[in-house]
Amino acid sequence: MSPHIDAATPHPFLGGTPKRLLIGGQWRPAASGRTFDTHNPASGARLAAVAEGDAADVDAAVQAARAAFEGPWSRFKPDERQALLLRLADVVEAHHDELAWLDTLDMGAPLRHTRGSRRHLVGLLRWFAGQATALYGQTAQTSLNGDMFAATLKEPVGVVGSIIPWNGPLWATVFKVAPVLATGCTLVLKPSEEAPLAPLRFAELALQAGVPEGVINVVTGFGRGAGAALAAHAGVDKVSFTGSVATGQAIVRASAGNLKRLSLELGGKSPHILFDDADIAAAARAAAMGVFANAGQICSAGTRVYVQRRIHDAVVDAMAEVARSLHVGDGLDPVTDIGPLVSGPQMQKVLDYMAGARDERARLVAGGERLTGPAHRHGHFVAPTVFADVHDPMRIAREEIFGPVAAVMPFDDLDEVVRRANASPYGLGAGVWTRDVGRAHAIARRLQAGSVWVNCYNQMDPSMPFGGVKLSGYGRESGLQHLDEYLHVKGLWIQAT
Ligand code: ADP
């Protein structure tokens, strides 16, 4: 059972010696002996020291993952992998409060929000359990002479290196672990240096659920050390990465040595389009929360809000009202809607974008500043912010901010807004609000995005794929496509006569 969780009780996971690396089923310090500290972004308090893995540790973890891939794990039948995923789902369900609490402490998201992921995360593990026994190849009717049996086999790609960010560590861990277990691959997971605690606790729970040694390895550390080493390692068959575009591009370059398979879920500057026949109150609230949720630290945040001119002023007012009504504070406080940004540098980056927007003469309607009152002064808090009179060329309309900053712009007609929405190097999500079902279908097909949400935003379900086009990356997570990212297709030809 989860230990009792509240703000005042120190968690046993946080006490004692530095958190260690998981390599081949053993918890070990980094080969260098180095550690780094992880902090609570709401208070600045040090939470724990964590092993700083580097190339030597990555090498040991990749060897352990290879040995496991070629060892008894390779003989696990689909129904055995399914049973393992179901046990893991049960353990994660029983400990979800604890995992959510660690995420809240480590990266700041409100406990209400991190706890709210239980159904989806446990559901994902159970959905992948189902997929483990639903892997199919195909047979082909060839045009060759003779009696040819031609078929495709699906085989696990091998050792997977997964590099994850800090904006949803628990989510990202489940997204990376579940397909590995379902397909029979093995994993070296590199959590973000900003928020490594929930992934480490998750790995403990995975061992408890019976995941064999070496199947899941965890190397904590920095991007330039452990991350870069994992991306370049010749013993890694695939890298699954979630993070920034610049790092994604570095990983593509690093992967060239052995032509690893890659899936990349990168940034976005997603358009959220509100037509004037929409339910204005619902649309405005969704547009606001599409930016402010998780303090704007969501890659599919709908940060470019295009509003049809007739309802523009009403939507700006309503979004500003939402911004002002949100309680910004420590994620452990039950009334908190929006937590801090993850770090000082991230906060400074967001404040710089706000200053730049003012310089470019966008009109500040709400927020626009760091919060420095008694409840905020030790953390990285900024006010939910709405800028109106934004023009497409302004930086806040083009660049990913990763903070709670909405850029609102008017538009007149469908062709215009499609052209402007698509005139971005990114293509992750897009939102549309309209009561006209024909228009909804038409625009959904024309928007360049991995996901289009109509009369809703940022919906997720294990059955649906998530991922991007253009600079938002390639590959899909969740949905039927996810497992194919972890499988090779082998052509089998048997001349029967
Ligand atoms: P974010 O904006 O989420 O911090 P990053 O791309 O900087 O995005 O970080 C995401 C993950 O990528 C983190 O785990 C980080 O340590 C890792 N990372 C950063 N730089 C590199 C790199 N050059 N190679 C591999 N991983 C990296």
mmCIF file of all heavy atoms in Angstrom, residues 443-484:
data_model
loop_
_atom_site.group_PDB
_atom_site.id
_atom_site.type_symbol
_atom_site.label_atom_id
_atom_site.label_comp_id
_atom_site.label_asym_id
_atom_site.label_seq_id
_atom_site.Cartn_x
_atom_site.Cartn_y
_atom_site.Cartn_z
ATOM 1 N N ILE A 443 -12.208 21.545 -41.758
ATOM 2 C CA ILE A 443 -11.002 22.179 -41.227
ATOM 3 C C ILE A 443 -10.087 21.129 -40.574
ATOM 4 O O ILE A 443 -8.855 21.218 -40.662
ATOM 5 C CB ILE A 443 -11.331 23.340 -40.258
ATOM 6 C CG1 ILE A 443 -10.064 24.161 -39.984
ATOM 7 C CG2 ILE A 443 -11.966 22.870 -38.981
ATOM 8 C CD1 ILE A 443 -10.323 25.473 -39.256
ATOM 9 N N ALA A 444 -10.684 20.118 -39.965
ATOM 10 C CA ALA A 444 -9.855 19.083 -39.320
ATOM 11 C C ALA A 444 -8.929 18.426 -40.340
ATOM 12 O O ALA A 444 -7.781 18.106 -40.034
ATOM 13 C CB ALA A 444 -10.744 18.039 -38.654
ATOM 14 N N ARG A 445 -9.438 18.228 -41.565
ATOM 15 C CA ARG A 445 -8.595 17.596 -42.598
ATOM 16 C C ARG A 445 -7.504 18.523 -43.103
ATOM 17 O O ARG A 445 -6.482 18.085 -43.568
ATOM 18 C CB ARG A 445 -9.479 17.121 -43.756
ATOM 19 C CG ARG A 445 -10.201 15.837 -43.424
ATOM 20 C CD ARG A 445 -11.262 15.490 -44.464
ATOM 21 N NE ARG A 445 -11.791 14.169 -44.206
ATOM 22 C CZ ARG A 445 -12.598 13.850 -43.206
ATOM 23 N NH1 ARG A 445 -12.957 14.767 -42.332
ATOM 24 N NH2 ARG A 445 -13.025 12.616 -43.036
ATOM 25 N N ARG A 446 -7.751 19.817 -43.048
ATOM 26 C CA ARG A 446 -6.779 20.759 -43.624
ATOM 27 C C ARG A 446 -5.687 21.198 -42.634
ATOM 28 O O ARG A 446 -4.665 21.732 -43.052
ATOM 29 C CB ARG A 446 -7.521 21.989 -44.162
ATOM 30 C CG ARG A 446 -8.371 21.640 -45.386
ATOM 31 C CD ARG A 446 -9.178 22.831 -45.860
ATOM 32 N NE ARG A 446 -8.330 23.938 -46.301
ATOM 33 C CZ ARG A 446 -8.793 25.140 -46.637
ATOM 34 N NH1 ARG A 446 -10.091 25.379 -46.582
ATOM 35 N NH2 ARG A 446 -7.976 26.091 -47.032
ATOM 36 N N LEU A 447 -5.904 20.997 -41.359
ATOM 37 C CA LEU A 447 -4.908 21.458 -40.379
ATOM 38 C C LEU A 447 -3.727 20.497 -40.328
ATOM 39 O O LEU A 447 -3.909 19.272 -40.271
ATOM 40 C CB LEU A 447 -5.547 21.589 -38.989
ATOM 41 C CG LEU A 447 -6.519 22.759 -38.857
ATOM 42 C CD1 LEU A 447 -7.304 22.666 -37.543
ATOM 43 C CD2 LEU A 447 -5.776 24.090 -38.936
ATOM 44 N N GLN A 448 -2.528 21.052 -40.341
ATOM 45 C CA GLN A 448 -1.311 20.220 -40.286
ATOM 46 C C GLN A 448 -0.958 19.977 -38.823
ATOM 47 O O GLN A 448 -0.283 20.790 -38.186
ATOM 48 C CB GLN A 448 -0.171 20.931 -41.014
ATOM 49 C CG GLN A 448 -0.455 21.117 -42.489
ATOM 50 C CD GLN A 448 0.533 22.067 -43.151
ATOM 51 O OE1 GLN A 448 1.380 22.668 -42.503
ATOM 52 N NE2 GLN A 448 0.428 22.193 -44.463
ATOM 53 N N ALA A 449 -1.439 18.852 -38.300
ATOM 54 C CA ALA A 449 -1.231 18.569 -36.880
ATOM 55 C C ALA A 449 -1.397 17.069 -36.653
ATOM 56 O O ALA A 449 -2.123 16.404 -37.383
ATOM 57 C CB ALA A 449 -2.253 19.323 -36.032
ATOM 58 N N GLY A 450 -0.740 16.562 -35.615
ATOM 59 C CA GLY A 450 -0.890 15.149 -35.270
ATOM 60 C C GLY A 450 -2.231 14.848 -34.634
ATOM 61 O O GLY A 450 -2.740 13.731 -34.740
ATOM 62 N N SER A 451 -2.801 15.814 -33.926
ATOM 63 C CA SER A 451 -4.124 15.647 -33.305
ATOM 64 C C SER A 451 -4.947 16.901 -33.536
ATOM 65 O O SER A 451 -4.423 18.013 -33.410
ATOM 66 C CB SER A 451 -4.009 15.458 -31.780
ATOM 67 O OG SER A 451 -3.259 14.328 -31.449
ATOM 68 N N VAL A 452 -6.221 16.721 -33.870
ATOM 69 C CA VAL A 452 -7.149 17.853 -33.952
ATOM 70 C C VAL A 452 -8.290 17.578 -32.977
ATOM 71 O O VAL A 452 -8.916 16.515 -33.032
ATOM 72 C CB VAL A 452 -7.705 18.029 -35.383
ATOM 73 C CG1 VAL A 452 -8.707 19.181 -35.426
ATOM 74 C CG2 VAL A 452 -6.568 18.284 -36.378
ATOM 75 N N TRP A 453 -8.531 18.516 -32.104
ATOM 76 C CA TRP A 453 -9.617 18.387 -31.133
ATOM 77 C C TRP A 453 -10.715 19.386 -31.492
ATOM 78 O O TRP A 453 -10.443 20.590 -31.607
ATOM 79 C CB TRP A 453 -9.099 18.692 -29.725
ATOM 80 C CG TRP A 453 -8.122 17.683 -29.189
ATOM 81 C CD1 TRP A 453 -8.417 16.435 -28.707
ATOM 82 C CD2 TRP A 453 -6.690 17.822 -29.049
ATOM 83 N NE1 TRP A 453 -7.260 15.803 -28.287
ATOM 84 C CE2 TRP A 453 -6.195 16.632 -28.475
ATOM 85 C CE3 TRP A 453 -5.786 18.843 -29.347
ATOM 86 C CZ2 TRP A 453 -4.838 16.423 -28.203
ATOM 87 C CZ3 TRP A 453 -4.430 18.643 -29.075
ATOM 88 C CH2 TRP A 453 -3.972 17.451 -28.515
ATOM 89 N N VAL A 454 -11.935 18.903 -31.683
ATOM 90 C CA VAL A 454 -13.054 19.781 -32.018
ATOM 91 C C VAL A 454 -14.002 19.864 -30.830
ATOM 92 O O VAL A 454 -14.463 18.831 -30.311
ATOM 93 C CB VAL A 454 -13.805 19.268 -33.273
ATOM 94 C CG1 VAL A 454 -14.991 20.171 -33.585
ATOM 95 C CG2 VAL A 454 -12.856 19.208 -34.468
ATOM 96 N N ASN A 455 -14.286 21.068 -30.410
ATOM 97 C CA ASN A 455 -15.145 21.337 -29.238
ATOM 98 C C ASN A 455 -14.632 20.650 -27.978
ATOM 99 O O ASN A 455 -15.410 20.215 -27.114
ATOM 100 C CB ASN A 455 -16.610 20.974 -29.526
ATOM 101 C CG ASN A 455 -17.186 21.841 -30.629
ATOM 102 O OD1 ASN A 455 -16.751 22.978 -30.819
ATOM 103 N ND2 ASN A 455 -18.129 21.313 -31.377
ATOM 104 N N CYS A 456 -13.328 20.513 -27.892
ATOM 105 C CA CYS A 456 -12.639 19.978 -26.721
ATOM 106 C C CYS A 456 -11.161 20.296 -26.958
ATOM 107 O O CYS A 456 -10.810 20.807 -28.016
ATOM 108 C CB CYS A 456 -12.850 18.459 -26.575
ATOM 109 S SG CYS A 456 -12.298 17.511 -28.013
ATOM 110 N N TYR A 457 -10.318 20.049 -25.959
ATOM 111 C CA TYR A 457 -8.886 20.272 -26.206
ATOM 112 C C TYR A 457 -8.050 19.335 -25.343
ATOM 113 O O TYR A 457 -8.402 19.036 -24.207
ATOM 114 C CB TYR A 457 -8.480 21.738 -25.932
ATOM 115 C CG TYR A 457 -7.180 22.048 -26.632
ATOM 116 C CD1 TYR A 457 -7.137 22.206 -28.014
ATOM 117 C CD2 TYR A 457 -5.981 22.098 -25.924
ATOM 118 C CE1 TYR A 457 -5.942 22.425 -28.681
ATOM 119 C CE2 TYR A 457 -4.779 22.321 -26.581
ATOM 120 C CZ TYR A 457 -4.760 22.475 -27.960
ATOM 121 O OH TYR A 457 -3.582 22.665 -28.623
ATOM 122 N N ASN A 458 -6.954 18.864 -25.917
ATOM 123 C CA ASN A 458 -5.972 18.044 -25.189
ATOM 124 C C ASN A 458 -6.560 16.764 -24.610
ATOM 125 O O ASN A 458 -6.115 16.294 -23.552
ATOM 126 C CB ASN A 458 -5.308 18.857 -24.062
ATOM 127 C CG ASN A 458 -3.904 19.291 -24.478
ATOM 128 O OD1 ASN A 458 -3.325 18.732 -25.414
ATOM 129 N ND2 ASN A 458 -3.372 20.278 -23.788
ATOM 130 N N GLN A 459 -7.563 16.205 -25.272
ATOM 131 C CA GLN A 459 -8.098 14.923 -24.820
ATOM 132 C C GLN A 459 -7.094 13.813 -25.134
ATOM 133 O O GLN A 459 -6.418 13.854 -26.162
ATOM 134 C CB GLN A 459 -9.423 14.624 -25.519
ATOM 135 C CG GLN A 459 -10.503 15.636 -25.227
ATOM 136 C CD GLN A 459 -10.899 15.635 -23.770
ATOM 137 O OE1 GLN A 459 -11.278 14.615 -23.220
ATOM 138 N NE2 GLN A 459 -10.772 16.784 -23.122
ATOM 139 N N MET A 460 -7.008 12.820 -24.253
ATOM 140 C CA MET A 460 -6.111 11.686 -24.462
ATOM 141 C C MET A 460 -6.857 10.410 -24.097
ATOM 142 O O MET A 460 -7.683 10.406 -23.175
ATOM 143 C CB MET A 460 -4.875 11.782 -23.550
ATOM 144 C CG MET A 460 -4.098 13.065 -23.648
ATOM 145 S SD MET A 460 -2.899 13.048 -24.965
ATOM 146 C CE MET A 460 -1.558 12.169 -24.208
ATOM 147 N N ASP A 461 -6.524 9.332 -24.772
ATOM 148 C CA ASP A 461 -7.083 8.029 -24.431
ATOM 149 C C ASP A 461 -6.112 6.984 -24.960
ATOM 150 O O ASP A 461 -5.501 7.188 -26.022
ATOM 151 C CB ASP A 461 -8.464 7.850 -25.084
ATOM 152 C CG ASP A 461 -9.149 6.584 -24.615
ATOM 153 O OD1 ASP A 461 -9.823 6.623 -23.562
ATOM 154 O OD2 ASP A 461 -8.991 5.530 -25.278
ATOM 155 N N PRO A 462 -5.957 5.859 -24.234
ATOM 156 C CA PRO A 462 -5.011 4.851 -24.717
ATOM 157 C C PRO A 462 -5.276 4.400 -26.147
ATOM 158 O O PRO A 462 -4.349 3.995 -26.857
ATOM 159 C CB PRO A 462 -5.214 3.678 -23.750
ATOM 160 C CG PRO A 462 -5.750 4.301 -22.503
ATOM 161 C CD PRO A 462 -6.561 5.482 -22.952
ATOM 162 N N SER A 463 -6.522 4.476 -26.592
ATOM 163 C CA SER A 463 -6.852 3.980 -27.936
ATOM 164 C C SER A 463 -6.453 4.948 -29.037
ATOM 165 O O SER A 463 -6.521 4.605 -30.213
ATOM 166 C CB SER A 463 -8.362 3.729 -28.024
ATOM 167 O OG SER A 463 -9.058 4.948 -27.854
ATOM 168 N N MET A 464 -6.063 6.170 -28.671
ATOM 169 C CA MET A 464 -5.805 7.203 -29.692
ATOM 170 C C MET A 464 -4.324 7.554 -29.762
ATOM 171 O O MET A 464 -3.652 7.668 -28.739
ATOM 172 C CB MET A 464 -6.607 8.461 -29.362
ATOM 173 C CG MET A 464 -8.084 8.328 -29.675
ATOM 174 S SD MET A 464 -8.401 8.225 -31.467
ATOM 175 C CE MET A 464 -8.206 9.947 -31.960
ATOM 176 N N PRO A 465 -3.817 7.762 -30.988
ATOM 177 C CA PRO A 465 -2.397 8.103 -31.152
ATOM 178 C C PRO A 465 -2.124 9.559 -30.804
ATOM 179 O O PRO A 465 -2.974 10.419 -30.988
ATOM 180 C CB PRO A 465 -2.164 7.861 -32.644
ATOM 181 C CG PRO A 465 -3.492 8.126 -33.276
ATOM 182 C CD PRO A 465 -4.530 7.688 -32.276
ATOM 183 N N PHE A 466 -0.907 9.805 -30.319
ATOM 184 C CA PHE A 466 -0.462 11.173 -30.028
ATOM 185 C C PHE A 466 0.928 11.350 -30.614
ATOM 186 O O PHE A 466 1.802 10.489 -30.431
ATOM 187 C CB PHE A 466 -0.435 11.415 -28.517
ATOM 188 C CG PHE A 466 -0.038 12.820 -28.161
ATOM 189 C CD1 PHE A 466 -0.933 13.860 -28.296
ATOM 190 C CD2 PHE A 466 1.243 13.095 -27.714
ATOM 191 C CE1 PHE A 466 -0.560 15.166 -27.993
ATOM 192 C CE2 PHE A 466 1.625 14.393 -27.412
ATOM 193 C CZ PHE A 466 0.718 15.430 -27.547
ATOM 194 N N GLY A 467 1.146 12.445 -31.313
ATOM 195 C CA GLY A 467 2.458 12.721 -31.900
ATOM 196 C C GLY A 467 2.329 13.871 -32.869
ATOM 197 O O GLY A 467 1.269 14.505 -32.947
ATOM 198 N N GLY A 468 3.396 14.156 -33.603
ATOM 199 C CA GLY A 468 3.380 15.362 -34.403
ATOM 200 C C GLY A 468 3.757 15.165 -35.852
ATOM 201 O O GLY A 468 4.095 14.058 -36.298
ATOM 202 N N VAL A 469 3.668 16.278 -36.590
ATOM 203 C CA VAL A 469 4.226 16.375 -37.938
ATOM 204 C C VAL A 469 5.176 17.569 -37.941
ATOM 205 O O VAL A 469 5.235 18.332 -36.983
ATOM 206 C CB VAL A 469 3.117 16.536 -39.014
ATOM 207 C CG1 VAL A 469 2.200 15.324 -39.028
ATOM 208 C CG2 VAL A 469 2.289 17.806 -38.790
ATOM 209 N N LYS A 470 5.920 17.733 -39.019
ATOM 210 C CA LYS A 470 6.891 18.823 -39.170
ATOM 211 C C LYS A 470 7.861 18.820 -37.969
ATOM 212 O O LYS A 470 8.251 17.747 -37.490
ATOM 213 C CB LYS A 470 6.157 20.158 -39.364
ATOM 214 C CG LYS A 470 5.204 20.120 -40.571
ATOM 215 C CD LYS A 470 4.774 21.490 -41.032
ATOM 216 C CE LYS A 470 3.700 22.090 -40.178
ATOM 217 N NZ LYS A 470 3.192 23.378 -40.691
ATOM 218 N N LEU A 471 8.203 19.987 -37.446
ATOM 219 C CA LEU A 471 9.213 20.026 -36.370
ATOM 220 C C LEU A 471 8.700 19.474 -35.039
ATOM 221 O O LEU A 471 9.444 19.408 -34.073
ATOM 222 C CB LEU A 471 9.698 21.465 -36.147
ATOM 223 C CG LEU A 471 10.825 21.988 -37.025
ATOM 224 C CD1 LEU A 471 11.329 23.325 -36.484
ATOM 225 C CD2 LEU A 471 11.989 21.012 -37.121
ATOM 226 N N SER A 472 7.440 19.099 -34.975
ATOM 227 C CA SER A 472 6.938 18.467 -33.750
ATOM 228 C C SER A 472 7.317 16.997 -33.665
ATOM 229 O O SER A 472 7.002 16.330 -32.682
ATOM 230 C CB SER A 472 5.422 18.646 -33.642
ATOM 231 O OG SER A 472 5.112 20.022 -33.514
ATOM 232 N N GLY A 473 7.986 16.493 -34.700
ATOM 233 C CA GLY A 473 8.561 15.154 -34.602
ATOM 234 C C GLY A 473 7.832 14.112 -35.414
ATOM 235 O O GLY A 473 6.973 14.428 -36.238
ATOM 236 N N TYR A 474 8.201 12.867 -35.177
ATOM 237 C CA TYR A 474 7.558 11.755 -35.880
ATOM 238 C C TYR A 474 7.475 10.545 -34.965
ATOM 239 O O TYR A 474 8.223 10.419 -33.997
ATOM 240 C CB TYR A 474 8.277 11.411 -37.184
ATOM 241 C CG TYR A 474 9.792 11.395 -37.136
ATOM 242 C CD1 TYR A 474 10.486 10.308 -36.598
ATOM 243 C CD2 TYR A 474 10.528 12.455 -37.628
ATOM 244 C CE1 TYR A 474 11.874 10.286 -36.580
ATOM 245 C CE2 TYR A 474 11.922 12.450 -37.603
ATOM 246 C CZ TYR A 474 12.589 11.353 -37.078
ATOM 247 O OH TYR A 474 13.950 11.320 -37.045
ATOM 248 N N GLY A 475 6.552 9.653 -35.316
ATOM 249 C CA GLY A 475 6.250 8.521 -34.441
ATOM 250 C C GLY A 475 5.015 8.872 -33.616
ATOM 251 O O GLY A 475 4.673 10.042 -33.452
ATOM 252 N N ARG A 476 4.323 7.856 -33.147
ATOM 253 C CA ARG A 476 3.107 8.060 -32.366
ATOM 254 C C ARG A 476 3.191 7.298 -31.051
ATOM 255 O O ARG A 476 3.764 6.199 -31.000
ATOM 256 C CB ARG A 476 1.874 7.568 -33.148
ATOM 257 C CG ARG A 476 1.571 8.393 -34.383
ATOM 258 C CD ARG A 476 1.110 9.796 -33.994
ATOM 259 N NE ARG A 476 0.850 10.654 -35.142
ATOM 260 C CZ ARG A 476 1.738 11.493 -35.695
ATOM 261 N NH1 ARG A 476 2.989 11.548 -35.218
ATOM 262 N NH2 ARG A 476 1.406 12.263 -36.704
ATOM 263 N N GLU A 477 2.628 7.888 -30.008
ATOM 264 C CA GLU A 477 2.537 7.190 -28.723
ATOM 265 C C GLU A 477 1.069 6.988 -28.385
ATOM 266 O O GLU A 477 0.229 7.843 -28.656
ATOM 267 C CB GLU A 477 3.256 7.993 -27.632
ATOM 268 C CG GLU A 477 4.741 8.052 -27.919
ATOM 269 C CD GLU A 477 5.592 8.505 -26.749
ATOM 270 O OE1 GLU A 477 5.371 9.610 -26.256
ATOM 271 O OE2 GLU A 477 6.491 7.741 -26.350
ATOM 272 N N SER A 478 0.785 5.860 -27.770
ATOM 273 C CA SER A 478 -0.553 5.317 -27.522
ATOM 274 C C SER A 478 -1.257 5.089 -28.865
ATOM 275 O O SER A 478 -0.728 5.429 -29.925
ATOM 276 C CB SER A 478 -1.329 6.132 -26.487
ATOM 277 O OG SER A 478 -2.228 7.034 -27.019
ATOM 278 N N GLY A 479 -2.398 4.435 -28.795
ATOM 279 C CA GLY A 479 -3.053 4.038 -30.044
ATOM 280 C C GLY A 479 -2.385 2.813 -30.654
ATOM 281 O O GLY A 479 -1.318 2.368 -30.209
ATOM 282 N N LEU A 480 -3.012 2.277 -31.701
ATOM 283 C CA LEU A 480 -2.500 1.045 -32.307
ATOM 284 C C LEU A 480 -1.121 1.233 -32.934
ATOM 285 O O LEU A 480 -0.360 0.281 -33.083
ATOM 286 C CB LEU A 480 -3.481 0.549 -33.374
ATOM 287 C CG LEU A 480 -4.777 -0.049 -32.822
ATOM 288 C CD1 LEU A 480 -5.747 -0.339 -33.962
ATOM 289 C CD2 LEU A 480 -4.491 -1.310 -32.020
ATOM 290 N N GLN A 481 -0.788 2.462 -33.329
ATOM 291 C CA GLN A 481 0.487 2.715 -34.004
ATOM 292 C C GLN A 481 1.679 2.597 -33.048
ATOM 293 O O GLN A 481 2.812 2.401 -33.491
ATOM 294 C CB GLN A 481 0.494 4.127 -34.613
ATOM 295 C CG GLN A 481 -0.498 4.336 -35.726
ATOM 296 C CD GLN A 481 -1.941 4.490 -35.226
ATOM 297 O OE1 GLN A 481 -2.201 4.582 -34.030
ATOM 298 N NE2 GLN A 481 -2.873 4.479 -36.147
ATOM 299 N N HIS A 482 1.428 2.735 -31.762
ATOM 300 C CA HIS A 482 2.539 2.835 -30.817
ATOM 301 C C HIS A 482 3.428 1.587 -30.858
ATOM 302 O O HIS A 482 4.655 1.674 -30.904
ATOM 303 C CB HIS A 482 1.972 3.037 -29.400
ATOM 304 C CG HIS A 482 2.965 3.568 -28.408
ATOM 305 N ND1 HIS A 482 2.572 4.126 -27.224
ATOM 306 C CD2 HIS A 482 4.306 3.618 -28.409
ATOM 307 C CE1 HIS A 482 3.647 4.514 -26.549
ATOM 308 N NE2 HIS A 482 4.704 4.203 -27.233
ATOM 309 N N LEU A 483 2.813 0.421 -30.867
ATOM 310 C CA LEU A 483 3.625 -0.800 -30.802
ATOM 311 C C LEU A 483 4.472 -0.980 -32.053
ATOM 312 O O LEU A 483 5.586 -1.506 -31.981
ATOM 313 C CB LEU A 483 2.750 -2.031 -30.584
ATOM 314 C CG LEU A 483 2.160 -2.173 -29.186
ATOM 315 C CD1 LEU A 483 1.660 -3.580 -28.977
ATOM 316 C CD2 LEU A 483 3.131 -1.792 -28.104
ATOM 317 N N ASP A 484 3.960 -0.528 -33.196
ATOM 318 C CA ASP A 484 4.756 -0.666 -34.423
ATOM 319 C C ASP A 484 6.076 0.092 -34.334
ATOM 320 O O ASP A 484 7.038 -0.242 -35.025
ATOM 321 C CB ASP A 484 3.954 -0.200 -35.645
ATOM 322 C CG ASP A 484 2.954 -1.259 -36.083
ATOM 323 O OD1 ASP A 484 3.244 -2.460 -35.859
ATOM 324 O OD2 ASP A 484 1.900 -0.896 -36.614
#
